[in-house]
Amino acid sequence: MNEKLLDIKNLTIHYITDDGVVKAVNGIDIELNKGETLGLVGETGAGKTTTALGIMRLVPNPPGKILSGEITFEGKDLLKLPEGEMRKIRGNKISMIFQDPMTSLNPVMTVGEQLAEVIQIHEGLSNEEAIEKAKKMLEMVGIPGERHTDYPHQFSGGMKQRVVIAIALACNPQLLIADEPTTALDVTIQAQVLDLMKRLKEEFNTAMILITHDLGVVAEVCDKVAIMYAGEIVESASLEDLFEKPKHPYTLGLFGSIPNLEEEVERLNPIKGLMPDPTNLPSGCPFHPRCPKAKDICKIQVPKTTDLGNGHKVRCLIYEGLVEA
Amino acid sequence: MLKSRKLLAVLALMLSFVFVMTGCGKGSNQATEGGKDSIIVAQGADAKSLDPHATNDQPSSRVMKQIYNTLINTNEDMQIVPGLAESWEQKDEKTWVFNLRKGVKFHNGEELKASDVKFTLERMLASDKVNHIVEAIAKVEAPEDYKVVITLKEPFAPILAHLSHTAASILNEKAVKEAGDNYGQKPVGTGPFKFVAWQSGDKIELEAFNEYFEGAPKIKKITFRNVAEGSARTMGLETGEIDIAYDVEPVDKERVKNNDKLTLVEEPSLSVAYIGFNTNKEPFNKKEVRQAINYAINRDDIIAAVLNGAAEKAGAPIGPKVFGHNPNIKPYEYNVQKAKELLKQAGLEKGFKTTIWTNDNPVRVQIAQIVQAQLKEIGIDVKIETLEWGSYLDRTGRGEHDMFILGWVTVTGDADYGLYALYHSSQKGGAGNRSFYENKKVDELLDKAKATNDSKEREKLYHEIQEIVVEDAPVANLYYQTQNVGMQKAIKGFRLHPAGHHRLYNVSY
Amino acid sequence: MANVANLQTADVKKTKKRSMWVEVARRMAKNKMAMVGLGIIVVLVLLALFADVIAPYEEVVIKQNLSMRLKGPSAEHWLGTDEFGRDIFARIIHGARVSLKVGIVAVGISIFIGGSLGAIAAYYGGKVDNLIMRFMDILLAVPSILLAIAIVSALGSSLFNLMLAIGISSVPSYARIVRASVLSIKDQEFIEAARAIGANDFIIITRHIIPNALAPVIVQGTLGVAGAILSTAGLSFIGLGIQPPAPEWGSMLAGGRAYLREAWHVTTFPGLVIMITILALNLLGDGLRDALDPKLKQ
Amino acid sequence: MRKYITRRLLMLIPVILGVTFIVFSIMYMTPGDPAQMILGESAPESAVKALREKMGLNDPFIVQYGRFVKNAIMGDFGRSYATKKEVFAEIFARFPATLQLASVGVLVAVLIGVPVGIISATKQYSLFDSVAMLLALLGVSMPNFWQGLMYILLFSVTLGWLPSGGYGSFKHFILPALTLGTSTAAVIARMTRSSMLEVIRQDYIRTARAKGVEEKKVILKHALKNALIPIITVVGLQFGHLLGGAVLTETVYSWPGIGRLLVDAIKQKDTPMVQATVVFIAVTFSIVNLAVDILYAYVDPRIKSQYK
């Protein structure tokens, strides 16, 4: 159970555009064991999706560029694989579910074709066999198999996301990256889809990186959590540790901005200010302009990762003892 | 997957369709080197109809000339020679008798009979388009199989010349009746070549008629191609795609001459180019103004610049190839001083503003520009207006113009055709007299000359008419254009006909 | 109080609009190709404006000198002379006036007529829309060359009639563009809001809808100027263009085609100038399109 | 689908009626007397008058138009004033030349334009992209007739490889098709590029890549089909225009197509010919449009479902 599946070290991804360099991901580390689920949490623009695309090696280039780092998957560094090898991994060992089911299916191909395609590529089945398997996959996600000849526009949003999930799981991947798989859906559908993912993940023993900004979803599904801010992972821990003992001021801020049903509070405490401009990140700790506990040193000193034990890591000068909490 | 395969099928179908269609345009008579028995002739427009009574345009006539014969021919030297009529005699002032050649075959196998001639001329008289050519005829009789008697309304001296007009080509009664409305696309004549096919807008194919009464022609096949761009005709000659090109552009003449595979034949034609004045309008109602403009135009410049020298300065309104031409009339000299004096006499020493009209014919447009520049020298401010051909004819016919540029071809080669329409007061407007010129004396002389049978006497009358007309200057005659034909050097037996429709019977490679 | 409120909203609107155009200009300035296009157009406009200073019209552009016919480029005549011995360079510069004017006015005419019809059709919808758009379909089905010939021969051949003819033949495409963009705008909230405060149709159309539908029209217009210049040249080629001796690029090209081989420069330079102008307008139009539609750029 | 096609064809009727009315009005209002044109410049005025009367040209406009519509409904569009040929017989005699040139021209354009557009889009901002797009722009910017003259000068006169004009064999096709093809290719390449750029950015392309689909397949299978609608539109529009006759190209290459037929007829004030040609062009154009719309349904199932 504790076999290491994915080990990301010092991954840095920048987008180089006419308007400047967008520092999307700045030296992050992620570890994931087989069958484990990691929640990657952060505001819009924190670099979550770029991280995911980085793992898939699908960062659009130009303008995106993976500047440094290692992504070790099953002992191989994905960043050093030739494109052909990488293609064999995509959709097969690592697959990805994108944010918007409305736009992630090809509108001019039947869902059956789209499902069968991934099966054919990786399992070398004949046309008929692939279609058969596609039908089975559809049934598995709760869609009648005979609808494989339908086009995406004939499905509802929730059903489309089921199809996307079916495509992602068609080849029993070791790792599933789900990029906000439920944000575009109705609340009731969200729950159904989450349930489905949870069930299938357990059935296939798939590891998962769940990208979301919704801590509620994280609490329901994940084993581990990593909090991202401005392209850095500011805190990572097991689910219990993070929820019970959040350390980083940003994490604390996130919890402060969730309504709590159990406690009556006068008003929520949202984090002040906005995400920094990624082309022009603040010096020192990138969170310092918004941090309620920031001191002068935070503007200069870049925090290092502090290991608090039990896999609980945090990047904040407070835990380096340089700033008083 | 299935869908895209269907799409592919549709595409393939479309493709094969295109290629089948392409294949349909069978390999035409490609120009090849060596002793050929077919020739390709290029002219600037497609024929309109091959029914001589349906049209009177040059491109059609040039084709019809090969298909049909007329009773009488005017040869390349403008002499009247026998055609389908072996001989003829004038019984009295108004009666002519024609004896037909025997054993002449039409392309449909019928033999030529006097009844065909009667039918033809009567049909011609009923045609709106060409009846004016034979309007002098009162009746046509066919008393015997090979004898035709033509009675005129009044004495009309140039009747023989008019009967040699291609519009008076003799048709076969049976063929015309069989074809009905479509006769123009199924012509049947007695000529050396018979009609084969017509790809509209592109080409007309003729082939030798082996039973032709003068003997089968040497060339087996003639293709008339429609090549509108003058430069393209020359290029076609150079590349060998075209054997004979009519009307080589003036600028291209040197190129043809200097090419050792090609020759250029050039000769004066029956046409005159002129600038007409609206004598009904101020200030062109003043003779001095009209003469002044005549003096102010430098004809040499026009001929050099626009025609590359391919013309002769014009004095008299009919050229030297036309019967009745007065060789003593010299062109108005280029004399700006004199022009100014004349304007002063007319009380217009300060000049005036006026317009000159032309159609979109590039030669005329260029002439207009040169004349505009030249008249500026004597203070006349001319605006050029280019009109589309239809409105040009219509509006000059109605007399809305100040000045205009036109040409006239005396197709029959007889002074009557060239002078009557242009200067007789009964012909004002659309009939030809677009300068609205009126002179009692000229009217009288024109009528008299028309009815005079003695040719010496007629000639004298026409000489006098031309003197008056040139002095009165209702128009400024510019030049007699030389016509030319460019062809492959290997071609023999080609002669230019002054009227422009060259006979290809004697041509060979 | 009411005044103050008005003032404020006006201010807000103004700054918003200005910033949009500033942003567009900023994006344009970054597009090298569009700037090259703009540069060429500016040079042409300047040449056209100062044409008389560079080469006097009567003496150089119009006056013939038959002894200097068809001379190749030289120090005296940079681009050679034409069939009447006139300086081609001078005629091209003066021709820029005519060609640019024809292009701009013709497009102005089509934008005005087509734009109004399109806006009316979209705004009122229903029967009006149907009627106008079917009429546009009919107009589209009549070959533009017939329209042009008809207008020129019915109204006489003048520069304005030529512009009118070319303008009218592209009315349907502007009607369609404007209709489409008005349709997408008219149901948006700010129109509802304007109506709620009692603005009438005229004010809504002129103040709100037209400015917002402008972007695609500007792009199409830039390209349309190019198209109109090409059409004029084409009409000149088949003998229906500007009246001589006025210099116009298309008629220079058409007039010189007989000398294609004797004097290459007579057609080559006007042809090149047409090509460069169209190219510049296209570059500019493409640049504008990209700048107005940031979606297209990543 | 059949219902949809029928409805579209029925909609043609008012359009054609409108077209005939406009054309008839234009021909009626423009100066120039058909009778005079038939008889030529040297016909006596009495003959012109008689012919006018015979042709019914003196009747009021509405009577003349009514007569035309009545005859047209009976299938009789009349005979050409100039050539006395039946107008549709003449049009059908000319149409193959136009159809062939338009088809080959568009074929050339598609074969060049679509691949260039695709490569340009996939290699946006590369050297190939810049050069190809500059060439495409030049193709759009070069007046067709000038381009035609230059080709003749080079390929026929200087090199002597191809005929300078005319109609008939395959060789005659090459230059006109090239002239039409290159300028049309430019338009198609530009449209393909921008359409592909739009599509390549879509999420489903990323999905396809995430499935491990080969890049070539991603572009040709997933992207191209989605990018096809605007490309088909442009190809259809160009084809429709070319079917109406490319007057300038036809003139330069002495090509006996519809375009020259129309221009000649207009210049000769040959009303029946103009009328029939314009109706023919309008119908062809509409049919091509309809074909394009039907093609949409094959390409895009979303559109197909709308037609039902």
Side-chain angles (χ1 to χ4, degrees), chain B residues 327-356:
Chain B
N328 300 320
I329 298 177
K330 294 278 170 282
Y332 276 88
E333 56 171 332
Y334 175 56
N335 189 334
V336 176
Q337 215 38 52
K338 202 154 185 181
K340 283 185 179 159
E341 271 165 37
L342 282 163
L343 273 190
K344 201 169 179 184
Q345 280 176 38
L348 288 164
E349 63 261 57
K350 289 205 178 118
F352 55 91
K353 280 190 178 178
T354 186
T355 57
I356 187 162

mmCIF file of all heavy atoms in Angstrom, chain B residues 327-356:
data_model
loop_
_atom_site.group_PDB
_atom_site.id
_atom_site.type_symbol
_atom_site.label_atom_id
_atom_site.label_comp_id
_atom_site.label_asym_id
_atom_site.label_seq_id
_atom_site.Cartn_x
_atom_site.Cartn_y
_atom_site.Cartn_z
ATOM 1 N N PRO B 327 -8.874 61.633 -104.916
ATOM 2 C CA PRO B 327 -7.456 61.667 -104.504
ATOM 3 C C PRO B 327 -6.909 63.079 -104.360
ATOM 4 O O PRO B 327 -5.823 63.267 -103.810
ATOM 5 C CB PRO B 327 -6.746 60.900 -105.624
ATOM 6 C CG PRO B 327 -7.643 61.032 -106.804
ATOM 7 C CD PRO B 327 -9.056 61.198 -106.306
ATOM 8 N N ASN B 328 -7.671 64.085 -104.866
ATOM 9 C CA ASN B 328 -7.151 65.454 -104.800
ATOM 10 C C ASN B 328 -7.350 66.110 -103.445
ATOM 11 O O ASN B 328 -6.783 67.163 -103.171
ATOM 12 C CB ASN B 328 -7.828 66.311 -105.868
ATOM 13 C CG ASN B 328 -7.570 65.747 -107.249
ATOM 14 O OD1 ASN B 328 -6.467 65.298 -107.529
ATOM 15 N ND2 ASN B 328 -8.603 65.731 -108.087
ATOM 16 N N ILE B 329 -8.207 65.492 -102.632
ATOM 17 C CA ILE B 329 -8.444 66.097 -101.324
ATOM 18 C C ILE B 329 -7.319 65.718 -100.376
ATOM 19 O O ILE B 329 -7.033 64.554 -100.169
ATOM 20 C CB ILE B 329 -9.790 65.629 -100.745
ATOM 21 C CG1 ILE B 329 -10.920 66.089 -101.668
ATOM 22 C CG2 ILE B 329 -9.990 66.168 -99.335
ATOM 23 C CD1 ILE B 329 -12.283 65.617 -101.241
ATOM 24 N N LYS B 330 -6.676 66.759 -99.860
ATOM 25 C CA LYS B 330 -5.577 66.510 -98.923
ATOM 26 C C LYS B 330 -6.121 66.598 -97.500
ATOM 27 O O LYS B 330 -7.055 67.364 -97.238
ATOM 28 C CB LYS B 330 -4.484 67.573 -99.120
ATOM 29 C CG LYS B 330 -3.814 67.481 -100.482
ATOM 30 C CD LYS B 330 -2.722 66.408 -100.501
ATOM 31 C CE LYS B 330 -2.211 66.137 -101.902
ATOM 32 N NZ LYS B 330 -3.152 65.275 -102.706
ATOM 33 N N PRO B 331 -5.538 65.858 -96.588
ATOM 34 C CA PRO B 331 -5.959 65.979 -95.188
ATOM 35 C C PRO B 331 -5.729 67.408 -94.685
ATOM 36 O O PRO B 331 -4.823 68.093 -95.165
ATOM 37 C CB PRO B 331 -5.039 65.017 -94.453
ATOM 38 C CG PRO B 331 -4.481 64.122 -95.506
ATOM 39 C CD PRO B 331 -4.468 64.890 -96.784
ATOM 40 N N TYR B 332 -6.549 67.843 -93.763
ATOM 41 C CA TYR B 332 -6.302 69.145 -93.122
ATOM 42 C C TYR B 332 -4.902 69.127 -92.535
ATOM 43 O O TYR B 332 -4.506 68.163 -91.893
ATOM 44 C CB TYR B 332 -7.310 69.380 -91.987
ATOM 45 C CG TYR B 332 -8.638 69.943 -92.432
ATOM 46 C CD1 TYR B 332 -9.677 69.129 -92.837
ATOM 47 C CD2 TYR B 332 -8.840 71.329 -92.418
ATOM 48 C CE1 TYR B 332 -10.896 69.649 -93.233
ATOM 49 C CE2 TYR B 332 -10.065 71.865 -92.812
ATOM 50 C CZ TYR B 332 -11.087 71.024 -93.225
ATOM 51 O OH TYR B 332 -12.286 71.551 -93.603
ATOM 52 N N GLU B 333 -4.149 70.198 -92.783
ATOM 53 C CA GLU B 333 -2.807 70.228 -92.209
ATOM 54 C C GLU B 333 -2.894 70.577 -90.733
ATOM 55 O O GLU B 333 -3.875 71.148 -90.276
ATOM 56 C CB GLU B 333 -1.956 71.266 -92.941
ATOM 57 C CG GLU B 333 -2.609 72.636 -92.911
ATOM 58 C CD GLU B 333 -1.711 73.739 -93.424
ATOM 59 O OE1 GLU B 333 -0.491 73.588 -93.314
ATOM 60 O OE2 GLU B 333 -2.238 74.740 -93.908
ATOM 61 N N TYR B 334 -1.847 70.206 -90.011
ATOM 62 C CA TYR B 334 -1.796 70.528 -88.588
ATOM 63 C C TYR B 334 -1.275 71.941 -88.460
ATOM 64 O O TYR B 334 -0.116 72.234 -88.782
ATOM 65 C CB TYR B 334 -0.868 69.541 -87.879
ATOM 66 C CG TYR B 334 -0.633 69.851 -86.424
ATOM 67 C CD1 TYR B 334 -1.697 69.978 -85.533
ATOM 68 C CD2 TYR B 334 0.657 69.991 -85.922
ATOM 69 C CE1 TYR B 334 -1.485 70.252 -84.194
ATOM 70 C CE2 TYR B 334 0.875 70.256 -84.576
ATOM 71 C CZ TYR B 334 -0.208 70.390 -83.722
ATOM 72 O OH TYR B 334 0.010 70.664 -82.399
ATOM 73 N N ASN B 335 -2.145 72.886 -88.063
ATOM 74 C CA ASN B 335 -1.769 74.286 -88.061
ATOM 75 C C ASN B 335 -2.498 74.990 -86.922
ATOM 76 O O ASN B 335 -3.637 75.440 -87.060
ATOM 77 C CB ASN B 335 -2.150 74.910 -89.421
ATOM 78 C CG ASN B 335 -1.594 76.304 -89.559
ATOM 79 O OD1 ASN B 335 -1.362 76.997 -88.577
ATOM 80 N ND2 ASN B 335 -1.369 76.713 -90.806
ATOM 81 N N VAL B 336 -1.817 75.082 -85.812
ATOM 82 C CA VAL B 336 -2.434 75.632 -84.614
ATOM 83 C C VAL B 336 -2.795 77.104 -84.828
ATOM 84 O O VAL B 336 -3.846 77.579 -84.394
ATOM 85 C CB VAL B 336 -1.483 75.478 -83.415
ATOM 86 C CG1 VAL B 336 -2.055 76.138 -82.175
ATOM 87 C CG2 VAL B 336 -1.227 74.000 -83.154
ATOM 88 N N GLN B 337 -1.913 77.820 -85.550
ATOM 89 C CA GLN B 337 -2.139 79.242 -85.793
ATOM 90 C C GLN B 337 -3.463 79.460 -86.521
ATOM 91 O O GLN B 337 -4.288 80.264 -86.129
ATOM 92 C CB GLN B 337 -0.950 79.800 -86.616
ATOM 93 C CG GLN B 337 -0.591 81.225 -86.263
ATOM 94 C CD GLN B 337 -0.717 81.498 -84.761
ATOM 95 O OE1 GLN B 337 -0.167 80.775 -83.937
ATOM 96 N NE2 GLN B 337 -1.478 82.529 -84.411
ATOM 97 N N LYS B 338 -3.618 78.686 -87.594
ATOM 98 C CA LYS B 338 -4.811 78.803 -88.403
ATOM 99 C C LYS B 338 -6.056 78.437 -87.591
ATOM 100 O O LYS B 338 -7.093 79.093 -87.681
ATOM 101 C CB LYS B 338 -4.696 77.855 -89.604
ATOM 102 C CG LYS B 338 -5.580 78.260 -90.763
ATOM 103 C CD LYS B 338 -4.973 77.732 -92.054
ATOM 104 C CE LYS B 338 -5.740 78.213 -93.253
ATOM 105 N NZ LYS B 338 -5.169 77.695 -94.503
ATOM 106 N N ALA B 339 -5.891 77.429 -86.791
ATOM 107 C CA ALA B 339 -7.009 77.004 -85.946
ATOM 108 C C ALA B 339 -7.433 78.127 -85.020
ATOM 109 O O ALA B 339 -8.615 78.422 -84.865
ATOM 110 C CB ALA B 339 -6.604 75.770 -85.142
ATOM 111 N N LYS B 340 -6.441 78.791 -84.450
ATOM 112 C CA LYS B 340 -6.754 79.886 -83.527
ATOM 113 C C LYS B 340 -7.460 81.016 -84.256
ATOM 114 O O LYS B 340 -8.418 81.609 -83.738
ATOM 115 C CB LYS B 340 -5.471 80.395 -82.862
ATOM 116 C CG LYS B 340 -4.975 79.483 -81.740
ATOM 117 C CD LYS B 340 -3.775 80.073 -81.027
ATOM 118 C CE LYS B 340 -3.296 79.186 -79.896
ATOM 119 N NZ LYS B 340 -1.919 79.458 -79.526
ATOM 120 N N GLU B 341 -6.958 81.306 -85.457
ATOM 121 C CA GLU B 341 -7.589 82.376 -86.239
ATOM 122 C C GLU B 341 -9.050 82.059 -86.510
ATOM 123 O O GLU B 341 -9.921 82.909 -86.364
ATOM 124 C CB GLU B 341 -6.872 82.530 -87.584
ATOM 125 C CG GLU B 341 -5.694 83.496 -87.546
ATOM 126 C CD GLU B 341 -4.828 83.317 -88.789
ATOM 127 O OE1 GLU B 341 -5.394 83.062 -89.879
ATOM 128 O OE2 GLU B 341 -3.592 83.386 -88.643
ATOM 129 N N LEU B 342 -9.292 80.794 -86.888
ATOM 130 C CA LEU B 342 -10.657 80.412 -87.203
ATOM 131 C C LEU B 342 -11.559 80.529 -85.978
ATOM 132 O O LEU B 342 -12.691 80.983 -86.070
ATOM 133 C CB LEU B 342 -10.689 78.977 -87.742
ATOM 134 C CG LEU B 342 -10.246 78.836 -89.203
ATOM 135 C CD1 LEU B 342 -9.899 77.395 -89.518
ATOM 136 C CD2 LEU B 342 -11.343 79.328 -90.146
ATOM 137 N N LEU B 343 -11.011 80.156 -84.846
ATOM 138 C CA LEU B 343 -11.796 80.282 -83.617
ATOM 139 C C LEU B 343 -12.126 81.738 -83.349
ATOM 140 O O LEU B 343 -13.214 82.094 -82.925
ATOM 141 C CB LEU B 343 -11.018 79.716 -82.427
ATOM 142 C CG LEU B 343 -11.146 78.222 -82.154
ATOM 143 C CD1 LEU B 343 -10.516 77.888 -80.812
ATOM 144 C CD2 LEU B 343 -12.606 77.770 -82.166
ATOM 145 N N LYS B 344 -11.128 82.588 -83.640
ATOM 146 C CA LYS B 344 -11.313 84.021 -83.432
ATOM 147 C C LYS B 344 -12.436 84.530 -84.336
ATOM 148 O O LYS B 344 -13.318 85.266 -83.893
ATOM 149 C CB LYS B 344 -10.000 84.737 -83.760
ATOM 150 C CG LYS B 344 -9.891 86.113 -83.132
ATOM 151 C CD LYS B 344 -8.466 86.615 -83.284
ATOM 152 C CE LYS B 344 -8.324 87.997 -82.702
ATOM 153 N NZ LYS B 344 -6.979 88.531 -82.938
ATOM 154 N N GLN B 345 -12.387 84.043 -85.584
ATOM 155 C CA GLN B 345 -13.447 84.429 -86.511
ATOM 156 C C GLN B 345 -14.815 84.012 -85.999
ATOM 157 O O GLN B 345 -15.809 84.694 -86.204
ATOM 158 C CB GLN B 345 -13.231 83.752 -87.866
ATOM 159 C CG GLN B 345 -12.193 84.427 -88.739
ATOM 160 C CD GLN B 345 -11.981 83.612 -90.009
ATOM 161 O OE1 GLN B 345 -12.911 83.057 -90.573
ATOM 162 N NE2 GLN B 345 -10.741 83.559 -90.470
ATOM 163 N N ALA B 346 -14.852 82.887 -85.344
ATOM 164 C CA ALA B 346 -16.127 82.419 -84.819
ATOM 165 C C ALA B 346 -16.483 83.135 -83.529
ATOM 166 O O ALA B 346 -17.528 82.859 -82.933
ATOM 167 C CB ALA B 346 -16.056 80.912 -84.591
ATOM 168 N N GLY B 347 -15.604 84.015 -83.098
ATOM 169 C CA GLY B 347 -15.866 84.751 -81.859
ATOM 170 C C GLY B 347 -15.559 83.939 -80.616
ATOM 171 O O GLY B 347 -16.110 84.187 -79.550
ATOM 172 N N LEU B 348 -14.695 82.966 -80.767
ATOM 173 C CA LEU B 348 -14.401 82.092 -79.626
ATOM 174 C C LEU B 348 -12.902 82.036 -79.353
ATOM 175 O O LEU B 348 -12.360 80.978 -79.059
ATOM 176 C CB LEU B 348 -14.920 80.675 -79.904
ATOM 177 C CG LEU B 348 -16.435 80.489 -79.867
ATOM 178 C CD1 LEU B 348 -16.838 79.185 -80.535
ATOM 179 C CD2 LEU B 348 -16.938 80.531 -78.442
ATOM 180 N N GLU B 349 -12.234 83.214 -79.447
ATOM 181 C CA GLU B 349 -10.780 83.150 -79.304
ATOM 182 C C GLU B 349 -10.361 82.665 -77.925
ATOM 183 O O GLU B 349 -9.245 82.195 -77.737
ATOM 184 C CB GLU B 349 -10.125 84.499 -79.633
ATOM 185 C CG GLU B 349 -10.517 85.645 -78.704
ATOM 186 C CD GLU B 349 -11.593 86.507 -79.318
ATOM 187 O OE1 GLU B 349 -12.658 85.924 -79.651
ATOM 188 O OE2 GLU B 349 -11.407 87.720 -79.495
ATOM 189 N N LYS B 350 -11.277 82.763 -76.973
ATOM 190 C CA LYS B 350 -10.904 82.292 -75.630
ATOM 191 C C LYS B 350 -11.137 80.787 -75.479
ATOM 192 O O LYS B 350 -10.907 80.218 -74.417
ATOM 193 C CB LYS B 350 -11.729 83.020 -74.573
ATOM 194 C CG LYS B 350 -11.318 84.473 -74.427
ATOM 195 C CD LYS B 350 -11.657 85.021 -73.065
ATOM 196 C CE LYS B 350 -11.209 86.452 -72.908
ATOM 197 N NZ LYS B 350 -12.339 87.348 -72.664
ATOM 198 N N GLY B 351 -11.627 80.182 -76.522
ATOM 199 C CA GLY B 351 -11.897 78.748 -76.433
ATOM 200 C C GLY B 351 -13.232 78.492 -75.747
ATOM 201 O O GLY B 351 -13.997 79.415 -75.479
ATOM 202 N N PHE B 352 -13.492 77.214 -75.481
ATOM 203 C CA PHE B 352 -14.748 76.860 -74.820
ATOM 204 C C PHE B 352 -14.589 75.481 -74.196
ATOM 205 O O PHE B 352 -13.578 74.812 -74.398
ATOM 206 C CB PHE B 352 -15.916 76.888 -75.805
ATOM 207 C CG PHE B 352 -15.719 76.019 -77.030
ATOM 208 C CD1 PHE B 352 -16.154 74.693 -77.038
ATOM 209 C CD2 PHE B 352 -15.084 76.531 -78.178
ATOM 210 C CE1 PHE B 352 -15.968 73.898 -78.158
ATOM 211 C CE2 PHE B 352 -14.898 75.727 -79.290
ATOM 212 C CZ PHE B 352 -15.340 74.411 -79.289
ATOM 213 N N LYS B 353 -15.631 75.118 -73.454
ATOM 214 C CA LYS B 353 -15.614 73.791 -72.826
ATOM 215 C C LYS B 353 -16.542 72.871 -73.583
ATOM 216 O O LYS B 353 -17.628 73.281 -73.991
ATOM 217 C CB LYS B 353 -16.112 73.891 -71.385
ATOM 218 C CG LYS B 353 -15.054 74.375 -70.453
ATOM 219 C CD LYS B 353 -15.499 74.218 -69.014
ATOM 220 C CE LYS B 353 -14.358 74.692 -68.132
ATOM 221 N NZ LYS B 353 -14.660 74.646 -66.743
ATOM 222 N N THR B 354 -16.158 71.640 -73.736
ATOM 223 C CA THR B 354 -17.019 70.699 -74.447
ATOM 224 C C THR B 354 -16.663 69.282 -74.010
ATOM 225 O O THR B 354 -15.776 69.079 -73.177
ATOM 226 C CB THR B 354 -16.863 70.887 -75.965
ATOM 227 O OG1 THR B 354 -17.804 70.052 -76.625
ATOM 228 C CG2 THR B 354 -15.464 70.513 -76.429
ATOM 229 N N THR B 355 -17.385 68.326 -74.557
ATOM 230 C CA THR B 355 -17.068 66.933 -74.206
ATOM 231 C C THR B 355 -16.852 66.126 -75.472
ATOM 232 O O THR B 355 -17.366 66.465 -76.539
ATOM 233 C CB THR B 355 -18.222 66.245 -73.440
ATOM 234 O OG1 THR B 355 -19.386 66.330 -74.251
ATOM 235 C CG2 THR B 355 -18.471 66.875 -72.112
ATOM 236 N N ILE B 356 -16.087 65.094 -75.338
ATOM 237 C CA ILE B 356 -15.950 64.147 -76.449
ATOM 238 C C ILE B 356 -16.354 62.781 -75.933
ATOM 239 O O ILE B 356 -15.978 62.386 -74.836
ATOM 240 C CB ILE B 356 -14.526 64.165 -77.024
ATOM 241 C CG1 ILE B 356 -14.473 63.305 -78.289
ATOM 242 C CG2 ILE B 356 -13.494 63.664 -76.032
ATOM 243 C CD1 ILE B 356 -13.256 63.607 -79.151
#
